[in-house]
Amino acid sequence: MQDRQLYAQILGISDPWFVDRVELKLEQGEVHIYLGHEEAALWKCPECGRECGLYDHQRERSWRHLDTCQYKTIVHAEPPRTNCAEHGPRVVKLPWAEAASRFTMLFERLAIEWLKASSQKGVAKILGLSWDEIHGVMDRAVERGLARREAEPVGHLGIDEKSFRKGHRYFTIVNDLERSRVLYVAEERKETSLDTFWPMLTEQQRTGIQAVVMDMWDPYVASVRKHIPEADRKIVFDKFHIAGHLGEAVDKVRRKEKKLLAAEGDLRLVGTKYDWLRNPGNFTRAEWRDFKALRESNLRTARAWALKESAMAMFDYHYEGAARRHFRWWYGWATRSRLQPVIEVARMLKERLQNVLTYLKHRITNATSESLNSKIQWLKYTARGFRNKENFKTAIYFHCGGLDLYPRAEPESTVT
Ligand SMILES: [Zn+2]
């Protein structure tokens, strides 16, 4: 009797459910708990909540529970079916487990807790679960979380592309920059990848969007224009992506020049790659001094670098008119520089200047959610164990979706 009460407490069950018997299988290291219920119990129809009598029972099922005293603990019961006048026989909601799960809610909670902190492979090992079982826990958690999401305003969005498996596959990720969470993940980086996102928002959410930051990527631009009113005032090209394009141009100039110089025995550019790409704000004073001779030299690389830095100064302006004048002056310098890679970026920026300058009004970048980026980076790193793209998507929602993932007990039925 004592045992049965103890296990009822451990399981957190109450009327009309009780522990019928407990079987200890010592050799297997398992405890089996068999549940029963009061004969006269009334059950809620899972469709309408109406209280009805018992119709019959399903075949016995079992659920893995938290280990008790280091014993693997398994709960058994025959799920009752109600007999609702309107809906007919239906399996009732069980207070210890969700319908589709082979685990009790407490066990799922524990698994979710672990999954938040370590890799899927590690959790599978710790809890003695198969891959499919781990994926099942994650899938159900994400499904639950997405269903519970509310239509909060999403004023600032970040659209980012992530490559998976060394650039062979792309994902489009939509971030809510204010709440620092991933709202949406889609395969590829096409217009249609993003098109499927907008219908998930309410009309109010869509019209409430103030700005969307993204790379200079036409398919995304097209999708935003199609779905967001006054999109041209709201699209912001990410300044760090722009810095990336300029950095690549500098690097192209450097690589070519390094070869030419090395052929003449001049090794000044050897081993300097990252000095040219680094943000000047990240140099120590001593490093900046050491870099002085190079950056002030008459090398083509130094000129490309100066052009990059000067272009980025555009983002420090407060007024659009002033930034526009700065760009006009810079563009003249860039196009006369005879540095082909820089000229190409200059033309790209000129063509898209309107949505480069929207930064001055909205002040958002895709680095606004640095914590999200580093989490996704961690996921990619542990993704070697991911069996498919679907699972990677689930993992992003699980770790970065800001979702309420845990199962919750359903209201219990009553005894007459
Ligand atoms: Zn019903």
Side-chain angles (χ1 to χ4, degrees):
M1 191 62 201
Q2 283 295 34
D3 262 13
R4 284 159 52 191
Q5 274 169 7
L6 175 69
Y7 280 108
Q9 269 175 14
I10 287 172
L11 281 172
I13 55 160
S14 56
D15 270 356
W17 291 98
F18 56 81
V19 173
D20 189 40
R21 64 179 205 278
V22 178
E23 261 176 39
L24 214 56
K25 293 189 177 165
L26 289 175
E27 296 102 85
Q28 287 101 317
E30 290 176 354
V31 186
H32 292 259
I33 303 170
Y34 293 85
L35 302 182
H37 64 77
E38 309 289 349
E39 290 289 335
L42 282 181
W43 306 92
K44 280 190 178 136
C45 166
E47 303 284 334
C48 64
R50 193 179 301 155
E51 295 204 319
C52 330
L54 180 72
Y55 180 73
D56 64 358
H57 290 98
Q58 280 192 312
R59 258 186 332 147
E60 187 187 289
R61 286 183 54 197
S62 60
W63 297 266
R64 168 96 186 266
H65 188 59
L66 302 179
D67 293 0
T68 42
C69 306
Q70 294 170 35
Y71 287 102
K72 198 170 182 179
T73 303
I74 295 129
V75 177
H76 301 259
E78 294 176 352
R81 292 203 297 170
T82 52
N83 194 10
C84 175
E86 196 185 337
H87 298 102
R90 287 280 195 284
V91 185
V92 305
K93 287 178 179 165
L94 301 170
W96 62 86
E98 288 188 333
S101 180
R102 294 163 55 202
F103 308 109
T104 66
M105 286 186 213
L106 278 173
F107 187 87
E108 289 219 38
R109 289 190 75 94
L110 175 76
I112 290 168
E113 212 54 72
W114 272 108
L115 281 166
K116 280 183 166 179
S118 52
S119 72
Q120 296 182 39
K121 204 175 168 185
V123 178
K125 204 173 160 201
I126 291 164
L127 295 178
L129 298 175
S130 69
W131 278 107
D132 286 338
E133 288 172 328
I134 282 286
H135 294 170
V137 170
M138 289 186 83
D139 282 344
R140 277 192 299 279
V142 165
E143 217 173 280
R144 227 177 262 134
L146 290 176
R148 286 173 186 164
R149 246 186 199 167
E150 290 179 16
E152 302 106 341
V154 283
H156 293 106
L157 295 177
I159 300 167
D160 215 354
E161 54 168 70
K162 294 276 179 226
S163 64
F164 183 54
R165 298 218 167 106
K166 290 191 180 147
H168 288 305
R169 282 176 178 154
Y170 285 94
F171 283 88
T172 296
I173 298 182
V174 182
N175 296 323
D176 168 358
L177 298 178
E178 278 148 47
R179 289 188 176 75
S180 200
R181 59 178 178 162
V182 170
L183 288 179
Y184 191 63
V185 187
E187 279 165 41
E188 318 279 357
R189 45 175 178 167
K190 297 177 187 160
E191 192 173 326
T192 49
S193 318
L194 194 53
D195 283 345
T196 42
F197 165 66
W198 311 108
M200 296 175 55
L201 301 179
T202 62
E203 181 63 26
Q204 211 176 1
Q205 279 178 311
R206 240 181 315 150
T207 49
I209 293 169
Q210 292 158 33
V212 185
V213 60
M214 62 173 81
D215 196 3
M216 295 181 278
W217 184 244
D218 290 334
Y220 291 163
V221 173
S223 181
V224 173
R225 279 197 178 139
K226 248 189 326 191
H227 293 92
I228 303 293
E230 298 182 82
D232 288 338
R233 293 199 298 117
K234 298 174 184 173
I235 293 171
V236 179
F237 290 132
D238 186 18
K239 80 168 184 177
F240 292 109
H241 278 133
I242 293 170
H245 285 294
L246 288 160
E248 265 169 45
V250 175
D251 201 49
K252 277 184 197 160
V253 173
R254 181 195 61 84
R255 285 203 307 261
K256 198 170 163 195
E257 191 173 35
K258 187 182 87 170
K259 257 185 221 156
L260 288 173
L261 291 181
E264 298 163 5
D266 181 343
L267 299 178
R268 268 184 293 168
L269 285 174
V270 173
T272 63
K273 175 174 178 175
Y274 294 101
D275 292 331
W276 302 106
L277 297 180
R278 208 189 320 178
N279 180 341
N282 297 339
F283 281 83
T284 63
R285 203 177 292 180
E287 286 169 336
W288 188 240
R289 228 175 12 242
D290 291 345
F291 187 42
K292 184 176 161 69
L294 263 184
R295 66 187 151 88
E296 291 182 356
S297 70
N298 56 5
L299 292 174
R300 293 166 68 80
T301 309
R303 201 146 34 94
W305 176 85
L307 277 157
K308 175 187 77 158
E309 293 306 320
S310 179
M312 292 310 288
M314 183 168 57
F315 295 103
D316 298 333
Y317 282 92
H318 288 283
Y319 298 104
E320 192 187 316
R324 213 174 263 285
R325 277 194 295 281
H326 175 81
F327 181 81
R328 217 174 293 140
W329 163 80
W330 178 84
Y331 183 78
W333 177 22
T335 46
R336 286 190 306 270
S337 70
R338 281 172 291 133
L339 301 168
Q340 197 50 37
V342 178
I343 293 170
E344 279 163 27
V345 179
R347 290 199 177 125
M348 180 166 70
L349 289 177
K350 189 185 181 198
E351 200 180 303
R352 293 158 188 268
L353 189 63
Q354 189 54 48
N355 295 102
V356 173
L357 295 176
T358 43
Y359 169 82
L360 300 180
K361 185 165 163 237
H362 300 294
R363 305 264 161 194
I364 54 171
T365 74
N366 261 331
T368 306
S369 288
E370 207 41 70
S371 66
L372 274 186
N373 286 327
S374 56
K375 258 193 215 167
I376 292 173
Q377 213 46 47
W378 174 76
L379 281 177
K380 270 161 73 174
Y381 176 73
T382 54
R384 286 167 301 183
F386 289 126
R387 277 200 298 206
N388 55 40
K389 289 184 285 181
E390 212 46 54
N391 185 237
F392 185 56
K393 242 159 95 172
T394 303
I396 293 176
Y397 280 123
F398 185 92
H399 290 280
C400 311
L403 297 171
D404 175 7
L405 299 168
Y406 295 103
R408 262 189 237 133
E410 299 291 339
E412 288 173 35
S413 27
T414 52
V415 187
T416 47

